[in-house]
Structures are given as C-alpha cells and as structure tokens.
Amino acid sequence: MDRRQLADFLRTRRERITPADVGLPAGHRRRTPGLRREEVAQLAFISTEYYTRLEQARGPRPSREVLAGLTRALRLSDVERDHLHHLAGAPPGPPPGPSREVRPSILALLHRLPQAAAIVLSATYDVLAWNDLAAALMEDFSALPPRDRNLVRRAFLGRRLYGASDVDEFSASAVRNLRAAAGRYPDDPEVAGLIRELLDGSEEFARLWAAHDVCAAPTPCKTFRHPVVGPVSVNCDVLDITDRDQQVVIYTADPGTPSENALRLLSVVGTQRMDSPL
C-alpha cells in the first residue's frame, strides 16, 4: 500500500468534483475546491475521521467495501478505480456497479447527429449524456440533479414520461432490464436503493418486479407529445456499449414526414421555449 500516493490521489479526485455533480447544494463560504472531506465520507458511507486519515496518509489499508464506496463517491472512471485499488494494495475485481463514465468518442458521436435526438443510458436507466436535440425533444437534462435524470423513476413515480406513446411497454421493458442489472451488480448500493425506492413507491413496479422476467424486446418506434411542436413520431434504435454496460438510444424521424419537420424546428428552437410542463 502506497499511503502517500493514495492520499494525493484521493485529494485530487475530491477537488475536481463540484457539489452539483453529486446532487449536493453548493452552500455559502465554500473555501475548498470541489467537495469537502465530510461530503466524500458521507457519499462513501464511511466516517469523516477515517477518510481524513486516508488523505493524510495515516490510514490503515482500506477494505474492498471502502474502496467501492470511494469509487462511487468520487465518480472514478474504470481506469481510476483500478489505479485506486493498486495504490491501496488490493488488486481490482469486477466493477461494483454500473459504469457512469461515457467515452469521449461516444460524446462526440452524439453531437455529430444533428438530425437525430440521442442519449446515453446506464444499465439502470440514468441519462448520462445527450445531444442538443434530445434536450429539446425530451428535457434539458443539464438543469436536473443527476438522480432526477433516471427514466425508470420518471416512469413509475408519478411524472409523465415526456408524453411518450409507449409508456406501458417502456415500463415493462425497463423492469426486466433492471432485474438483469441487479443480478450483474448485486453489491451496488445505488442499484439496491433505486429498486427499494421503486418497490415502495409504485404498486405497478412491484407487480412487474415480482414476475422475475429478465428479457425484453426493444420498442422500434414511439411518439413524443411535445408541448411546443406537437406529436413527434420517431424510430428508436439502440446501440449497445458492452464494455461500459451502456446504451446509445437514437431517435430519428422518417424523411419527408411532419415529424422530421418537427425535429428540424426543435433543432432551431432548442430548449429556449420549453416553458410548458413536461
């Protein structure tokens, strides 16, 4: 275990994260760049004293559970997670939870699709990335805290799913995929917490969850009822990013249709006139 290098690595990772990145209020008189030590400790489910000792190169060798908590709290990439484990003298095992890091090449791809709305979803339906047309068609995700960008929460916990025509089909498919994700990440507290929240808050989710189904056919097309341009019918294509357990979802309209014209209008309007509730 390299205590000095581990301490420096934790400090630099902590300082690069803003409170907004993890859904925390910025507050006043924040003197430290990034997160405070106590905030990282809270997010990692460890004591502030223990985390402080790690950053001061005085702590004992952290367990795999502590390393998993620090990986989540500091939003480490897969490469950074492995580096953290090596510094702590504990060779990395399988990822503890779904990856939330989107490859730069995928981010570039989204913005090279100006006539298509595209988003990147995690294994648990968190919207991780999006292009401008997706924000105009669905929602300005940048205005939401990360936990509110989850499509399964939106489908089951009382908020309309962007006026989509396939809410029932999406909901059933999402439960099956979430069941499979829970099997892949049995020790991830965020996955477990999401499932508990949905079971407690939605009888429909509880009913579908009890069926134990783990496969779902993709929806080939859907219609969004947009508050500004009206109904937009789109084809729905899904590209799997297997090494990250993520999906790129691409919405395109058939050429020469009113929906294609609507998407073109949205590409101009953007989110500036999205003042109607979604």
Side-chain angles (χ1 to χ4, degrees):
M1 175 180 173
D2 190 331
R3 286 182 172 82
R4 183 70 268 163
Q5 291 296 319
L6 175 62
D8 291 344
F9 182 68
L10 291 174
R11 176 182 52 77
T12 58
R13 299 309 90 180
R14 172 175 61 82
E15 291 178 349
R16 71 176 183 174
I17 300 176
T18 67
D21 291 335
V22 293
L24 294 174
H28 300 290
R29 298 181 180 178
R30 180 175 287 272
R31 297 177 180 176
T32 182
L35 297 179
R36 299 186 177 100
R37 287 173 175 173
E38 59 266 27
E39 291 170 335
V40 174
Q42 178 183 4
L43 292 168
F45 302 105
I46 59 178
S47 71
T48 301
E49 180 185 0
Y50 179 39
Y51 179 76
T52 299
R53 292 176 65 194
L54 289 176
E55 271 206 18
Q56 294 175 343
R58 298 187 299 111
R61 175 178 293 177
S63 67
R64 290 187 179 274
E65 291 76 17
V66 168
L67 294 173
L70 292 172
T71 296
R72 290 189 303 272
L74 297 171
R75 299 298 192 263
L76 300 185
S77 68
D78 292 343
V79 173
E80 289 171 327
R81 165 188 166 268
D82 291 351
H83 184 59
L84 173 68
H85 276 255
H86 287 300
L87 291 178
S99 175
R100 289 172 173 79
E101 181 193 22
V102 181
R103 283 204 304 265
S105 60
I106 297 298
L107 294 175
L109 171 64
L110 298 189
H111 296 289
R112 289 172 181 164
L113 300 172
Q115 298 180 20
I119 59 177
V120 178
L121 295 177
S122 73
T124 53
Y125 288 87
D126 289 315
V127 178
L128 303 176
W130 55 91
N131 63 7
D132 291 342
L133 190 51
L137 177 64
M138 300 172 71
E139 185 165 19
D140 184 3
F141 296 105
S142 66
L144 301 175
R147 79 176 306 277
D148 290 344
R149 299 173 191 164
N150 185 279
L151 298 187
V152 183
R153 278 195 183 96
R154 190 178 186 106
F156 284 101
L157 299 183
R159 300 187 66 189
R160 194 155 56 92
L161 196 64
Y162 311 112
S165 61
D166 68 331
V167 173
D168 291 341
E169 293 86 350
F170 170 83
S171 298
S173 174
V175 173
R176 292 167 182 159
N177 287 329
L178 190 57
R179 167 70 75 177
R184 293 195 298 276
Y185 307 107
D187 300 322
D188 183 56
E190 292 189 16
V191 173
L194 173 62
I195 293 168
R196 284 195 304 270
E197 181 182 354
L198 293 167
L199 287 171
D200 292 341
S202 171
E203 293 182 1
E204 177 66 9
F205 180 87
R207 181 184 67 81
L208 293 169
W209 186 258
H212 284 262
D213 293 331
V214 292
C215 62
T219 302
C221 60
K222 67 171 66 184
T223 298
F224 291 97
R225 297 177 184 87
H226 196 276
V228 173
V229 300
V232 184
S233 297
V234 292
N235 303 306
C236 178
D237 294 292
V238 178
L239 308 177
D240 289 322
I241 310 174
T242 54
D243 64 313
R244 299 292 173 91
D245 202 4
Q246 297 169 356
Q247 292 183 326
V248 180
V249 183
I250 304 174
Y251 301 117
T252 56
D254 289 331
T257 63
S259 293
E260 182 186 37
N261 294 332
L263 285 182
R264 287 178 176 172
L265 177 58
L266 282 175
S267 69
V268 176
V269 173
T271 60
Q272 296 179 9
R273 290 179 53 192
M274 303 300 103
D275 52 359
S276 299
L278 295 175

